[in-house]
Amino acid sequence: MAASLNQLPGVGPTTADKLLEAGFDSYQALAVASPGELSNTIDIGERTATDIIQAAREAADVGDFESGTALRKQRDQIGKLSLLIDEIDELLGGGIETQSITEFYGKFGSGKSQLTHHLCLTVQLPEDYGGFHGRAVFLDTEDTFRPERIDNMVRGLPDEVIEATMTDRGIAGDAADEAALDELVSHVLERIHVAKGFNSSHQMLLTEKALDLTGEYTDTAWPVRLVCVDSLIAHFRAEYVGRGNLAERQQKLNKHLHDLMRLASLKNVAVVVTNQVAANPEAFFGDPTHPIGGHILGHSSTVRIYLRKSKGDKRIVRLVDAPSLPEGEAVMRITESGLKPD
Ligand code: GTP
Ligand code: MG
């Protein structure tokens, strides 16, 4: 690929390497970049960046108006990832969509991290069981990822699903066979790529790495089909404190979301992010159920889902904002063996 980026006018070997390193691994990726973003990322002048993007657009044959047919073709590839909880799948019109960002927001303990764990498992299930037969990337910014929890969740799947999944992976045995279950758990954990983000810049860098990783597995039997960011906002919130830093925070967050959106649409991946609800509603938007992040986040995440605690292990899942779905609610339970229907 470096060789072909090299063929763009104005791109020498050094620039080509920098582009690759920054995750611009195709004409298409370059074509949708903004000059400001590109010039900042690889440290070139904005004029040069504009020229490179223009050349990439011509080479990639994008950036013009797309026909309805072409758009339809891309939309036809949108997959819907099942949660294995019928009521929620129905609420979401079939499941969590690829090519877009889905945001789960809610208070502490509402189940955001549990949901991201759960999806790292369901994305791996065979298509007959609502999965993508794909792997997951987990950007862990709060040190919440727990392999033991995945272990519980695998063992907690219905026997039929366990056995279909074993067959799918060439694991001999059944749901009562401990050795086969152990093998299945390892197989599943092997396909969850976890990276811990130590601060917001690191988190953004990891997003670029996630794009690389996704590229590496694109044409393999187990492509990356899910990228989770848990939590999206925590670092940004901690680092950019106070009104004076709000604009800069939003700008960075905007770039981060832009990168995630690009990953989602270029690689046909489902991106799932979590977001805390402000503890002090006054400090933000006056609505206690409003997620942190402000307007930019509101526009970028295509589907927003509000989680709230109910009695005991029950959680209410509320679809708040989706382009083509009615609002509504569903219920799930967080049990020892994972997320279950009510
Ligand atoms: P914050 O990250 O603090 O904002 O919360 P969150 O929304 O990510 O909450 P999380 O997904 O961590 O949900 C926590 C809830 O899940 C807890 O209140 C527990 O009730 C439940 N939970 C987590 N792990 C287990 C487990 O191993 N077994 C059972 N039965 N419940 C669990
Ligand atoms: Mg959490």
Side-chain angles (χ1 to χ4, degrees), residues 40-55:
N40 280 334
T41 318
I42 66 161
D43 199 21
I44 52 172
E46 197 148 327
R47 178 74 238 168
T48 315
T50 309
D51 291 346
I52 293 178
I53 290 168
Q54 192 48 44

Side-chain angles (χ1 to χ4, degrees), residues 10 100 110-111 118 123-125 162 195 202 220 232 259 264-265 291 326 332 338:
S100 72
S110 58
H118 178 72
V123 72
Q124 300 194 25
L125 298 179
I162 289 182
H202 188 218
T220 68
L232 181 76
D259 290 348
S265 60
M332 65 174 189

Side-chain angles (χ1 to χ4, degrees), residues 106-115 142 144 149 152 230 276 307 309 315 334-337:
K107 287 188 195 157
F108 70 92
S110 58
K112 304 181 293 293
S113 297
Q114 291 301 307
L115 250 164
E142 296 192 304
T144 47
R149 194 55 182 140
N152 287 342
D230 184 27
Q276 292 149 326
L307 294 175
K309 284 190 198 174
R315 297 293 186 276
I334 307 179
T335 74
E336 204 45 49
S337 51

